[in-house]
Amino acid sequence: MKFSYNPLWKLLIDRGIKKSEFREMTGISSASIAKLNKGENITTAILLRICEALKCDITDIMELVEK
């Protein structure tokens, strides 16, 4: 099993938020955005900042999927 951040990208599209805007509103680095794009591990602190900025729940931005 692994984490997928596809729900995050769908949420951004649905809200009309570009990745550059997303980076600015969350204050996360380009390196963290790249990790999200690749489905790599990121810290819970970053996940919390994303949820706070988007006013959403953790299940709105990530899901557990089969490898």
Side-chain angles (χ1 to χ4, degrees):
M1 302 287 276
K2 71 174 193 163
F3 288 113
S4 169
Y5 300 103
N6 287 341
L8 169 62
W9 307 126
K10 183 178 181 328
L11 182 65
L12 294 179
I13 290 168
D14 290 347
R15 294 188 183 182
I17 301 171
K18 296 179 183 177
K19 285 186 183 178
S20 58
E21 292 174 272
F22 170 65
R23 188 171 52 80
E24 288 177 24
M25 68 191 293
T26 58
I28 62 177
S29 68
S30 297
S32 293
I33 299 284
K35 285 183 177 185
L36 288 166
N37 277 326
K38 295 176 186 175
E40 295 178 357
N41 294 332
I42 58 171
T43 67
T44 52
I46 292 174
L47 294 172
L48 181 60
R49 284 174 30 196
I50 292 170
C51 289
E52 287 174 343
L54 296 175
K55 295 177 178 51
C56 67
D57 190 76
I58 191 76
T59 58
D60 296 327
I61 63 169
M62 61 189 294
E63 62 187 352
L64 194 58
V65 296
E66 295 286 334
K67 279 190 176 182

